[in-house]
Amino acid sequence: MNSQASSSDTSYYLPSPSHWPIVGSAALLLLSLGATLTIHDLAGGGLLLLAGGGTLAAMLIGWFGKVIGESQNGLYNDQVDASFRWGMAWFIFSEAMFFFAFFGALFFTRVISVPDLASADNALLWPGFQAAWPTAGPGLEQVFTPMAAWGIPALNTAILLSSGATVTWAHWALKRDRRGQLNLAMALTVALGALFIAFQAHEYIEAYQHMGLTLGAGVYGATFFLLTGFHGLHVSIGTLMLLVILLRCLRGHFRPDSHFAFEAVAWYWHFVDVVWLVLFLFVYWL
Amino acid sequence: MNPSMDTPMDKPLTDPHDAGHHAAPAGLWRWLTTTNHKDIGSLYLWFAAAMFLIGGLMAMVIRAELFQPGLQVVQPDLFNQLTTLHGLIMIFGVIMPAFTGFANWQIPLMIGAPDMAFPRMNNWSFWLLPVAATFLIGSLFLPGGAVSGGWTMYPPLYLQGGISYDLTIFAIHIMGASSIMGAINIITTILNLRAPGMRMMKMPMFVWTWLITAYLLIAVMPVLAGAVTMLLADRNFGTHFFDAAGGGDPVLFQHIFWFFGHPEVYILILPAFGIVSTVIPTFARKPLFGYRSMVYATASIAILSFIVWGHHMFTVGMPAGMQLFFMYATMLIAVPTGVKVFNWVVTLWKGSISFETAMLFALAFVFLFTIGGFSGLVLAMVPVDVQLQDTYYVVAHFHYVLVTGALFSIFAGLYYWLPKWTGHMIDERWGRWHFWLSAISVNVLFFPMHFLGLAGMPRRIPDYALQFADFNRIASLGGFVFGASQILLLVVIVKCIRGGEPAPARAWDGAEGLEWTLTSPPPYHSFAKPPEVR
Amino acid sequence: MKLGRASVAAWLVSLTNASRAEYGFDLPQPQSSVAQTAYDLHVIVLWVCLIIFAVVFGAMFYALFKHRRSLGHAAHPFHESTTVEVIWTLVPILILVGLAWPATQAVLAQKDTGNPDLTVKVTGYQWKWEYDYLQEGVRYMSNIATPRAQIDNQAAKGEHYLLEVDEPLVVPVGKKVRVLLTSNDVIHAWWVPALGVKQDAIPGFIRDTWFRADGVGTFRGQCAELCGVNHAFMPIVVEVKSPDDYQTWLADKKQRLVAAQAAGASAADKTWSDAELRARGEQVYLANCAACHQPDGQGIPNVFPALGGSKVVTGPAGNHLMVVLNGRPGTAMAAFKEQLDDLELAAVVSYQRTAWGNAGGTVQPAAVKAMRQ
Ligand code: HEA
Ligand code: HEA
Ligand code: CUA
Ligand SMILES: [Cu+2]
C-alpha cells in the first residue's frame, strides 16, 4: 500500500440518498403482480405489466443516467473504477451460474432420465420406449423436427463470433483514440447483434409453424426453448447496452484510459458469446 | 488483491466524497432512499426481527396443532401452508437478512472503509425484500391460500397449486436478486475497500466468513432462480422438465434445488461462525487460537458444500455409487467443521473468561451447534438416513443448527455489537434472563424431536399416531416458552436503544478490531479517511 | 413427571435395549436384516458422537470452570500451532473412515434387489396405495381405515389411530420381497420402519427396494413424502404371514377379485334401478372420493370443489363422466377409468348427481362403457 497521499486527497465517491432503488422495487412489484395476473387470465394483468415495464425503464434510464453523469463529471476515482470491475465480474459469474442450472437440466435429462425411462424396469410403465435424443418423451403424442445445427444456428455462430471481433476492434480503436473506427466498429457490433436476434426470431417462428417444435415438445422442446430463449434475452439486453455505448461514443464519451462502461458491456458481450458456443455444441449439434 | 490502491491517480477529483451529505432527507423518505451502510444495516435487522415474529408465530400455531393428536387448531391445508411459509420466512426472511444486516453494519467498520462499495445498490438489495415478503405473507389471503408444498417446492406437488404458487416463484426471484446484489456489494467492499495495510490474512474472521458466504450466494442463488423458473414454465407454459411423459424427471428438480440448497445451509452458518469467532476471543481475552486454519476450514466447507447435495435425496432411488459418493463427501465436512469447534475450545483454554450475555450465547452456540452437527453426521450415513429421511429427526437436526446455531449467533452478535451501534451498554440482567430461558426451553423444544424421528414420526403432518403424543406435548410446551422468551430480547433491544449506561469506544475490554477505535455510536460516515493498519 | 421420564429416558437412549418399545424413542425393533444393519449402524455412530462430544465438551467445561476471570485466572495468549491443527484434522478423518466402512457394506446390501422371491408393484395415489402382485395378477387398493370422526376428535381414538388400513399388503415370512415403487400423481414415499424400507414413489419412474421379514406380524408405516393435504392420512400396513397362511390368503383374494370382475362385466350389460345405483354409488363415493370431496359433498373451500350444486355435476352427464374418467390433469383430481369399473363409475356418478340436493338423472353402466371407447 504505497500511496498514502493519493488515497487521502481523493476519496471514494459516496452517493447521496437516491430514490431510484425504491422505484426499482416498485417496478418489480408491479411486474410480478402483472405477470401473475396475466398467467391466470385475471383482469388488470396487462395494465400492471405495462406500468411495471414503464417504471423499470424509467428507473434504468434515471439510475444509469445519474451514474453516467457522475462518471462524466469525474467523481469516480480509480478505486471506484476497480469496484465497478469487481462488481461486473461477479455479476457475470452469477449469470453463468444461472445458465449452469439449465445446462444441468439438459445434461441430466440426456444422460440420466431419458435412458432411465427406457430401462427394463420402466418398461412396466412405458413399454417400447427407446432412449434417443432428441425426444419428446415416452408419453406425448407430439411429433417434431429437431433444430438442425448447420442452418441458421451455424450462421448465428458466425455472426456472434464476428461481433466479438468487432467489439474488440472497437476497444482497440478506443484505446488509441481513433473515434471514427470506434464508432464504425460499435455500429457494426450493434448491427450484428440485431441480425442475430432477427435470425433467432425467424428460427422460432419456423419451429412453431412448420416443425412442431414448441415449448411443449417434451423435454427437448423445454430445454431448447429455455436455453436459447434466455440466451436470446441476454443477446437482446446486450445489444441494447451496446446501443447505449454506441450513442455515448457518438457523443464523445469515454477516454482512452477511462472507459469502464465500455469494457463492462464488452465483457458481457463476450460472455453471451461463450454461452452461445456451449449452446451450439450441446443444444444444436451433438 | 487490492489493485486500485496502488495505482497512481490519473485525473483530478473535483468533488469531495460525501456529495449529498448536507441534503440528508428526514422521516420515512430518509429510510426509503438512504445510501448509508448503517441505516441499511438497521433496516435489514428490523426487517429480520419483524419476520422472526411472523415466522415464529406460525411455528407457534404449528406447535399448538401438534400439542395433541387429532385436528384441533388448524385444518391440514392451512397447516401445510404454515409449515411451508415458516420455513421460507425463517430462512429467507430472518437468518439471511439478519446476517446481511450485520455485514452492512460491521464490514465497513471492521476493514476501515467509508461505506459499502455500491451504496445505492445496497439500498435496492434491502428494499426488494419487503416486496418479496408481501408476496409470501399476502398469499395466505388469496383464494386457495399460500404455498403448501414445503419450502423445498418439489414438483409435481408444486405444479398442482394455484395463484399463490406463481407469486411465490416471483418472490423467490426477487429475494434471489436481492441476495445476489447484496453479495456482490459485500465481496467488492471486502476486496477493494480495505484500509491500507489490512491484508487479507489480517481481516477479522467475521469478514472472512462473509467473503466466502457472499461467494456461495453468487454461485447458488442463480441456480435456485433457474430451478423455480423451470417450475414456472412447467406450471404455465406447457414444458415438461419435471414430467416423465415428456422425458423429464421430477427428481431433476431435487438435484437442482439441493445444488442450491446445501450451499445455502452453509450460507446460513458461515457468518455465524464468524460472529462466534469474534465473541469468544473477546471474552476469553485471548486471540483466536488458529486464525489461519479457521480461514482454511471455512474455505474447505464452502468448497465441499458443492458436492454433497445428494444427501437430501438418499431415498429417491439413486444408484449405490452415487449414494456412496455423497455419503463420503458429506462425512468429510465434519472435518473442517471439527477444526472450528476445536479451535474455539482451545481459544477458551487458559483464557480469562467472563460470561456476558453475548458470550453465553456464543458458548451455547458451540455446544448446541455441535449436537446439530452430530445429528447431521448420523443423517449422512445412508442406511440410517433411509430410516430417518423426512422424519422429525431431520427437523431436530436442522433446528439445532439453525436455531441454536444461526439464530443464537445472531443473538450473540446483537448483544456484542449493540453497545457499539447505540452508544449504550445492554442490560445484562435482562439479557441473562433471555439467555437462560431461551437456552433451556429450546432444548425442551427440539431435543425430543430426535426421539420422535427415531420412533417413526414423519415431518410435515398435522396429526400423528398415539405413540408420539408425549414427546410432542413436551416439545410444544418448550416451544411456547421459547417463543415467549423472545419478548425479552425485544425488551433488551428497545431499552438499549432508548438509554442505559453510555458505552465507551471499546465497549468490551477484550475486544479487538478497527470498529472499537471509533466512538460508540460511530459517526454517520465511518472512516472518512482510511485508518492505517499495521 | 412426563418431562422427567423423558429426560431420564433420553440419557439412556442407546444404553437400554429393553425399554425402547414402550417409550418409542429409538428406532423400532428391527424385523429384517436391512433394518438390523441400519439399527446397528445408528448405535455405532451414536456412540462415536457421544464419546467425541464428551471429550470436546469435557475440555470446554473444564476451561469454563477453571479459567474464568472471576477466579482471577489470567489469560495465556498462546495461539497458532500447526502440529495441533494437523492432529485434529487427521484424527477425525480416521474416525470417519472407520464409520464409512460398515456403512458402505450396508449400502451395498441395501441396494441389492436381485433374485427376489416375490415382486410387488406399489403405486402411490393421493392418498392411498395400490398393491399389484405382478406374478399373481392380484391388484387392489389400500385406504386408511381410521374414521374421520376420530381425526376430528368426535370419537375416541383407537389403538392404531392413523396407522390402520382396509386392505394391508400381505407377504410371506422369510422371502425376499422386491418392491417396485411408482406413483400416479405426486411423489410419495413408502416407508415401513420395522422392515427398514423407505423408497420414494416417483411418478413416471419405477424405483425399487427390498426386504425380507424375519418373523410374522403386522408392521405399520406412513407415507413419508409431503404429497398434499392428506399426506398425514396415508398409512401403510404390512402383514407378514407364514407361507401357508400367505397361500391361503392369496387364493382367497384371487377368488374374490375374479368374482368381482365377473360381476362387474355382467353388470355393465344390465340395466340398474336408480335406487341400486345410488346405494352402490354411495359406497364407491365414500371409498374413493370422500377423502377429498368430503362425505357431505361440500369439498374443502379453495382446495376441493363442492360437488353439491357443482356446475359439472348438475350439468350434462357426459361432461361429468368425462371428468371422472380422465381426471383434471395438473390437479389432484385423478383419472378414475383404470381404478373403477363401469358399474362403479356409473354408480358413483349417479350418486353424485342425485345426492346433496342435486337433481340430475342417473347413468347406466352401458353409457360408461360406450364413453370409454
Ligand atoms: C445451518 C444449517 C445447517 C448446517 C450447518 C448443517 C450441517 C450438516 N448437515 Fe444438515 N440440514 C439442514 C441445515 C444444516 N445442516 C437443513 C435445513 C436440512 C433439512 C432440509 C429440508 O429437508 O427441509 C438438513 C438436512 C440434512 C440432511 C438430510 C436429511 C434428510 O432429509 O434425510 C443431511 C444428511 O446427510 C444433513 C447432514 C449434515 C451434515 C453432515 C452437516 C455437517 O456440516 C455438520 C458438521 C459438524 C459436526 C460433525 C460437529 C462438529 C465436529 C466435530 C466436533 C469434529 C469431530 C466429529 C467427528 C469426527 C464425527 N443435513
Ligand atoms: C432459521 C430457521 C428456523 C427457525 C428460527 C425456526 C424456529 C422454529 N421452528 Fe422451524 N423450521 C424451519 C426453520 C426454522 N424454524 C424450516 C426450514 C422448516 C422446514 C419447513 C418445511 O418442512 O418445509 C421448519 C419446520 C418446523 C417444524 C416442522 C413442521 C412440519 O414438519 O410440519 C416445526 C414443528 O415443530 C418447527 C418449529 C419451530 C419452532 C417452535 C421454532 C421457534 O424457535 C420459533 C420461536 C420464535 C417466536 C415464537 C417468535 C418470537 C418473536 C418475538 C416475540 C419478537 C421478537 C422481537 C425481536 C427479535 C426484536 N419448525
Ligand atoms: Cu403420500 Cu405423503
Ligand atoms: Cu445438506
Side-chain angles (χ1 to χ4, degrees):
Chain A
M1 298 304 111
N2 53 354
S3 47
Q4 184 53 26
S6 77
S7 58
S8 57
D9 59 33
T10 65
S11 23
Y12 197 85
Y13 176 72
L14 294 183
S16 49
S18 166
H19 58 276
W20 291 120
I22 192 78
V23 173
S25 293
L28 291 192
L29 177 88
L30 294 171
L31 277 174
S32 310
L33 281 179
T36 309
L37 292 181
T38 309
I39 284 171
H40 290 270
D41 291 326
L42 295 172
L47 213 64
L48 283 181
L49 274 179
L50 219 62
T55 316
L56 190 68
M59 180 276 258
L60 288 172
I61 293 170
W63 191 331
F64 279 109
K66 191 144 172 38
V67 172
I68 292 170
E70 286 166 357
S71 169
Q72 290 303 105
N73 285 329
L75 296 183
Y76 296 162
N77 64 8
D78 278 4
Q79 199 181 0
V80 175
D81 190 71
S83 284
F84 283 145
R85 279 162 204 280
W86 279 121
M88 191 64 195
W90 286 104
F91 170 67
I92 289 180
F93 175 55
S94 81
E95 290 273 48
M97 292 308 291
F98 181 72
F99 278 100
F100 177 81
F102 291 95
F103 278 113
L106 176 68
F107 293 138
F108 183 89
T109 36
R110 289 186 63 166
V111 177
I112 297 185
S113 70
V114 169
D116 196 9
L117 282 168
S119 69
D121 281 345
N122 277 300
L124 263 178
L125 299 176
W126 310 109
F129 176 64
Q130 299 288 327
W133 188 263
T135 177
L140 297 190
E141 312 274 278
Q142 188 145 358
V143 248
F144 67 90
T145 327
M147 194 56 75
W150 298 110
I152 290 180
L155 202 59
N156 262 347
T157 310
I159 292 174
L160 267 198
L161 287 177
S162 338
S163 76
T166 52
V167 82
T168 309
W169 173 25
H171 193 203
W172 177 89
L174 174 53
K175 281 201 286 202
R176 279 164 191 71
D177 214 7
R178 310 213 173 136
R179 306 298 293 197
Q181 280 194 41
L182 167 65
N183 295 343
L184 174 64
M186 279 307 294
L188 266 176
T189 314
V190 174
L192 287 169
L195 194 59
F196 177 97
I197 299 166
F199 273 131
Q200 185 85 11
H202 175 74
E203 183 186 279
Y204 277 15
I205 293 169
E206 279 292 298
Y208 259 78
Q209 290 188 339
H210 304 299
M211 302 168 71
L213 177 55
T214 64
L215 273 167
V219 74
Y220 177 80
T223 48
F224 175 83
F225 278 106
L226 264 79
L227 272 164
T228 57
F230 274 114
H231 178 264
L233 186 71
H234 281 73
V235 176
S236 311
I237 296 172
T239 308
L240 210 65
M241 299 197 309
L242 286 167
L243 187 67
V244 172
I245 297 293
L246 171 62
L247 294 178
R248 289 185 64 188
C249 289
L250 292 173
R251 284 204 185 175
H253 286 195
F254 308 127
R255 276 172 292 124
D257 55 354
S258 147
H259 47 259
F260 168 71
F262 179 97
E263 285 177 276
V265 173
W267 291 355
Y268 190 81
W269 195 247
H270 288 309
F271 160 73
V272 170
D273 217 353
V274 171
V275 173
W276 174 262
L277 289 181
V278 186
L279 212 74
F280 182 70
L281 206 60
F282 292 110
V283 175
Y284 291 99
W285 188 4
L286 297 181
Chain B
M1 286 266 73
N2 202 346
S4 69
M5 300 211 74
D6 25 34
T7 21
M9 296 304 306
D10 63 334
K11 60 179 177 218
L13 268 185
T14 50
D15 211 270
H17 71 278
D18 46 354
H21 183 49
H22 31 89
L28 179 64
W29 198 237
R30 164 185 169 193
W31 297 102
L32 287 174
T33 59
T34 180
T35 47
N36 179 279
H37 73 102
K38 303 190 188 78
D39 285 355
I40 295 173
S42 302
L43 284 171
Y44 267 111
L45 287 165
W46 279 115
F47 175 80
M51 289 298 122
F52 181 51
L53 181 62
I54 295 173
L57 289 178
M58 290 174 173
M60 294 299 103
V61 179
I62 292 173
R63 282 318 323 168
E65 175 56 51
L66 294 174
F67 186 72
Q68 64 189 65
L71 295 179
Q72 37 276 325
V73 184
V74 286
Q75 287 298 309
D77 190 47
L78 182 56
F79 182 92
N80 289 347
Q81 296 173 31
L82 292 176
T83 298
T84 306
L85 284 184
H86 164 75
L88 286 170
I89 288 177
M90 285 298 194
I91 287 180
F92 293 105
V94 178
I95 306 291
M96 291 171 70
F99 280 147
T100 315
F102 278 106
N104 262 292
W105 258 102
Q106 284 305 124
I107 289 177
L109 295 184
M110 289 176 133
I111 63 173
D115 203 298
M116 298 291 280
F118 306 111
R120 273 183 297 235
M121 190 168 84
N122 202 15
N123 173 302
W124 201 22
S125 303
F126 173 76
W127 279 108
L128 284 174
L129 289 180
V131 175
T134 310
F135 288 170
L136 284 181
I137 298 165
S139 64
L140 267 175
F141 307 99
L142 290 178
V147 277
S148 56
W151 83 280
T152 49
M153 302 179 284
Y154 286 1
L157 185 59
Y158 201 89
L159 306 179
Q160 287 184 348
I163 186 165
S164 58
Y165 283 63
D166 295 309
L167 212 51
T168 300
I169 289 176
F170 291 126
I172 287 176
H173 280 136
I174 291 175
M175 290 189 290
S178 156
S179 294
I180 291 170
M181 288 193 287
I184 290 177
N185 217 332
I186 288 169
I187 286 204
T188 306
T189 307
I190 297 175
L191 292 179
N192 195 35
L193 261 62
R194 274 170 288 128
M198 172 75 75
R199 287 180 293 106
M200 296 290 277
M201 286 314 267
K202 272 193 174 179
M203 295 194 313
M205 262 322 282
F206 179 72
V207 178
W208 257 114
T209 52
W210 243 115
L211 177 67
I212 293 168
T213 303
Y215 161 73
L216 286 179
L217 275 168
I218 301 177
V220 300
M221 290 311 286
V223 176
L224 175 66
V228 296
T229 303
M230 289 181 227
L231 274 184
L232 189 75
D234 264 20
R235 282 174 54 79
N236 303 303
F237 310 132
T239 57
H240 296 86
F241 283 105
F242 309 128
D243 178 4
D249 187 346
V251 175
L252 166 61
F253 178 84
Q254 302 185 17
H255 280 290
I256 307 176
F257 180 87
W258 289 116
F259 182 85
F260 145 81
H262 192 85
E264 168 71 15
V265 308
Y266 292 112
I267 289 167
L268 299 171
I269 206 68
L270 293 185
F273 290 166
I275 293 175
V276 170
S277 300
T278 314
V279 173
I280 288 186
T282 298
F283 298 107
R285 294 167 182 81
K286 262 184 70 189
L288 193 61
F289 179 71
Y291 173 84
R292 273 175 183 280
S293 60
M294 282 295 219
V295 171
Y296 298 147
T298 313
S300 318
I301 292 174
I303 292 164
L304 283 174
S305 76
F306 286 104
I307 54 165
V308 302
W309 78 87
H311 66 218
H312 296 273
M313 304 166 57
F314 282 149
T315 59
V316 299
M318 53 171 82
M322 260 162 95
Q323 287 192 332
L324 290 175
F325 171 79
F326 285 123
M327 174 172 82
Y328 300 149
T330 305
M331 291 171 77
L332 216 53
I333 294 199
V335 176
T337 317
V339 168
K340 301 213 139 237
V341 172
F342 301 142
N343 271 301
W344 289 323
V345 170
V346 176
T347 303
L348 290 166
W349 193 257
K350 296 213 171 188
S352 177
I353 303 170
S354 60
F355 297 95
E356 283 78 0
T357 312
M359 180 64 157
L360 288 174
F361 272 110
L363 293 172
F365 172 96
V366 178
F367 187 75
L368 297 172
F369 168 79
T370 304
I371 295 183
F374 281 143
S375 59
L377 192 76
V378 172
L379 290 170
M381 318 280 284
V382 177
V384 184
D385 181 70
V386 167
Q387 287 284 38
L388 297 177
Q389 203 271 337
D390 261 323
T391 67
Y392 262 76
Y393 194 91
V394 179
V395 178
H397 158 65
F398 68 69
H399 281 97
Y400 266 88
V401 284
L402 282 170
V403 178
T404 61
L407 189 65
F408 270 30
S409 83
I410 289 169
F411 291 167
L414 284 176
Y415 283 106
Y416 186 68
W417 281 307
L418 269 174
K420 169 60 46 190
W421 300 342
T422 64
H424 305 293
M425 297 307 283
I426 53 149
D427 188 327
E428 291 284 343
R429 222 165 62 89
W430 282 78
R432 233 162 260 174
W433 271 101
H434 173 232
F435 170 76
W436 284 109
L437 276 171
S438 299
I440 293 170
S441 60
V442 84
N443 284 290
V444 180
L445 165 58
F446 293 123
F447 207 79
M449 291 186 186
H450 293 110
F451 306 139
L452 287 171
L454 286 166
M457 177 166 163
R459 61 193 280 207
R460 296 166 168 169
I461 55 173
D463 191 6
Y464 47 81
L466 299 180
Q467 71 261 36
F468 308 128
D470 289 358
F471 285 127
N472 265 304
R473 191 151 45 235
I474 296 169
S476 288
L477 289 174
F480 300 144
V481 178
F482 182 74
S485 312
Q486 304 321 311
I487 297 170
L488 294 181
L489 175 64
L490 194 62
V491 172
V492 174
I493 294 173
V494 172
K495 275 175 71 117
C496 183
I497 292 171
R498 304 182 95 193
E501 191 192 325
R506 189 177 299 273
W508 314 107
D509 60 329
E512 300 282 346
L514 285 178
E515 76 260 43
W516 306 107
T517 62
L518 293 172
T519 52
S520 304
Y524 194 66
H525 288 293
S526 318
F527 290 100
K529 288 211 166 77
E532 238 344 91
V533 181
R534 276 149 292 112
Chain C
M1 341 103 283
K2 285 250 167 68
L3 195 74
R5 193 174 76 182
S7 45
V8 172
W11 286 114
L12 299 176
V13 56
S14 68
L15 308 182
T16 59
N17 277 358
S19 59
R20 86 168 78 84
E22 293 92 276
Y23 294 104
F25 52 77
D26 195 1
L27 288 168
Q29 190 71 52
Q31 301 291 341
S32 74
S33 60
V34 172
Q36 185 67 50
T37 33
Y39 187 94
D40 295 342
L41 207 54
H42 176 249
V43 173
I44 297 174
V45 62
L46 194 62
W47 272 110
V48 169
C49 289
L50 282 175
I51 292 169
I52 300 177
F53 198 79
V55 172
V56 173
F57 290 101
M60 182 169 116
F61 278 100
Y62 183 85
L64 292 186
F65 283 113
K66 296 289 183 183
H67 305 154
R68 44 167 88 197
R69 188 174 57 168
S70 53
L71 298 179
H73 194 275
H76 299 230
F78 62 87
H79 61 105
E80 302 284 345
S81 158
T82 310
T83 325
V84 175
E85 302 284 352
V86 169
I87 291 175
W88 68 37
T89 306
L90 287 183
V91 172
I93 291 183
L94 293 179
I95 297 174
L96 292 174
V97 171
L99 282 174
W101 179 251
T104 303
Q105 286 175 320
V107 170
L108 294 177
Q110 198 166 35
K111 276 299 199 180
D112 178 16
T113 55
N115 301 320
D117 300 313
L118 172 68
T119 303
V120 187
K121 176 165 164 255
V122 178
T123 309
Y125 289 80
Q126 281 172 320
W127 290 275
K128 59 200 165 202
W129 296 98
E130 181 195 68
Y131 297 119
D132 187 352
Y133 293 68
L134 290 177
Q135 293 106 330
E136 315 290 348
V138 168
R139 189 165 75 113
Y140 58 92
M141 288 285 176
S142 174
N143 284 290
I144 185 171
T146 303
R148 187 74 205 179
Q150 290 189 13
I151 297 172
D152 288 333
N153 300 318
Q154 282 150 1
K157 296 182 174 33
E159 189 194 350
H160 297 300
Y161 177 65
L162 297 189
L163 297 180
E164 49 202 343
V165 299
D166 52 1
E167 295 272 358
L169 176 72
V170 180
V171 296
V173 70
K175 294 275 194 276
K176 183 167 186 177
V177 182
R178 180 170 180 234
V179 183
L180 299 179
L181 257 300
T182 186
S183 163
N184 185 55
D185 34 51
V186 302
I187 302 177
H188 305 267
W190 197 79
W191 178 34
V192 185
L195 298 174
V197 281
K198 182 188 286 150
Q199 173 59 52
D200 288 2
I202 316 278
F205 287 83
I206 297 271
R207 296 290 151 85
D208 65 349
T209 183
W210 71 278
F211 65 89
R212 176 185 275 129
D214 291 340
V216 296
T218 304
F219 306 110
R220 294 164 199 279
Q222 280 176 271
C223 175
E225 180 67 56
L226 179 58
C227 51
V229 190
N230 287 343
H231 161 59
F233 309 116
M234 202 174 155
I236 295 146
V237 178
V238 178
E239 256 179 42
V240 180
K241 291 188 189 293
S242 70
D244 288 346
D245 289 353
Y246 171 72
Q247 288 305 338
T248 322
W249 171 84
L250 192 64
D252 178 54
K253 188 82 195 171
K254 266 188 194 159
Q255 213 168 30
R256 278 194 286 145
L257 286 174
V258 170
Q261 225 159 30
S266 64
D269 305 325
K270 187 184 146 187
T271 305
W272 297 71
S273 78
D274 287 3
E276 280 171 327
L277 283 171
R278 276 205 297 272
R280 183 93 179 85
E282 183 167 12
Q283 285 171 7
V284 179
Y285 180 82
L286 290 177
N288 292 287
C289 324
C292 302
H293 296 288
Q294 304 301 309
D296 61 1
Q298 293 314 306
I300 297 177
N302 292 324
V303 185
F304 303 117
L307 299 179
S310 144
K311 279 209 190 74
V312 174
V313 177
T314 54
N319 283 347
H320 184 184
L321 203 52
M322 264 322 238
V323 173
V324 184
L325 278 174
N326 300 318
R328 288 257 174 87
T331 73
M333 180 62 204
F336 280 91
K337 63 173 174 235
E338 301 293 328
Q339 296 186 41
L340 302 176
D341 63 25
D342 295 347
L343 171 61
E344 288 168 326
L345 284 165
V348 75
V349 168
S350 301
Y351 173 69
Q352 290 178 345
R353 299 178 73 75
T354 52
W356 321 302
N358 291 347
T362 56
V363 175
Q364 289 297 331
V368 180
K369 198 171 179 183
M371 195 91 173
R372 277 189 196 269
Q373 279 119 38

